[in-house]
Amino acid sequence: QVQLVESGGGLVQAGGSLRLSCTASGRTFSRYAMGWFRQAPGKEREFVTAISWSGRNTYYGDSVKGRFTISRDNAKNTVYLQMNSLKPDDTAIYYCAADQGVVTPISYTMYDYWGQGTQVTVSS
C-alpha cells in the first residue's frame, strides 16, 4: 500500500512558475513509476507527465512539453513537478499517481495509487 500526498499548488499569474511535490509513504517508493495527471472542471483527466522508477525515462503530454519537468528523489520518497511558463489553460486539480509496473504508463487507468490532488490556478 502506498499513500501519496501532494503539495505546492496555489494561485499564480500567467507566465509564472510553481513546483508541486508528491511524497509517498512506505519503503518501496523506488519501485514505482510515478505520474502526474490533471483534471479541469467538466473535462477528462489528462496525462501531464510520468517518470520511470529509476528516473531515467520521462514522458510528457504535448500540452506541457518544454514547460514542465518531472523529477524524483527516491531517498526522499518524493516526485516533483516543476511548472514554468504557466498558462490559464493549466488551471486544474493536479494529481500524482504511482504504479508498480515495469513499464511507465501514461494512461490513468494503469495507476494503482492516487493522491488527493492539489489545486493549481493560473490567472490571466
Side-chain angles (χ1 to χ4, degrees):
Q1 188 79 10
V2 175
Q3 292 185 328
L4 305 173
V5 178
E6 301 100 335
S7 60
L11 173 64
V12 64
Q13 288 189 331
S17 299
L18 280 176
R19 188 175 83 154
L20 306 184
S21 300
C22 173
T23 301
S25 64
R27 295 176 292 178
T28 59
F29 174 76
S30 62
R31 299 179 187 176
Y32 289 84
M34 300 296 296
W36 285 96
F37 293 79
R38 66 187 183 186
Q39 190 163 19
K43 294 189 176 181
E44 296 280 324
R45 189 163 296 196
E46 178 188 8
F47 170 72
V48 177
T49 180
I51 188 167
S52 62
W53 62 270
S54 66
R56 291 196 191 107
N57 299 306
T58 57
Y59 308 87
Y60 294 92
D62 289 341
S63 61
V64 307
K65 279 180 183 175
R67 299 188 298 123
F68 291 11
T69 303
I70 190 171
S71 61
R72 67 188 297 161
D73 185 339
N74 286 344
K76 295 183 178 180
N77 280 15
T78 300
V79 63
Y80 303 98
L81 178 60
Q82 178 66 44
M83 305 186 294
N84 298 329
S85 303
L86 282 161
K87 306 174 181 179
D89 284 350
D90 294 318
T91 296
I93 298 175
Y94 284 69
Y95 300 89
C96 74
D99 176 69
Q100 195 176 13
V102 175
V103 176
T104 305
I106 62 171
S107 169
Y108 73 88
T109 61
M110 301 298 292
Y111 282 84
D112 301 312
Y113 303 102
W114 291 85
Q116 83 289 350
T118 185
Q119 177 71 48
V120 171
T121 303
V122 184
S123 63
S124 58

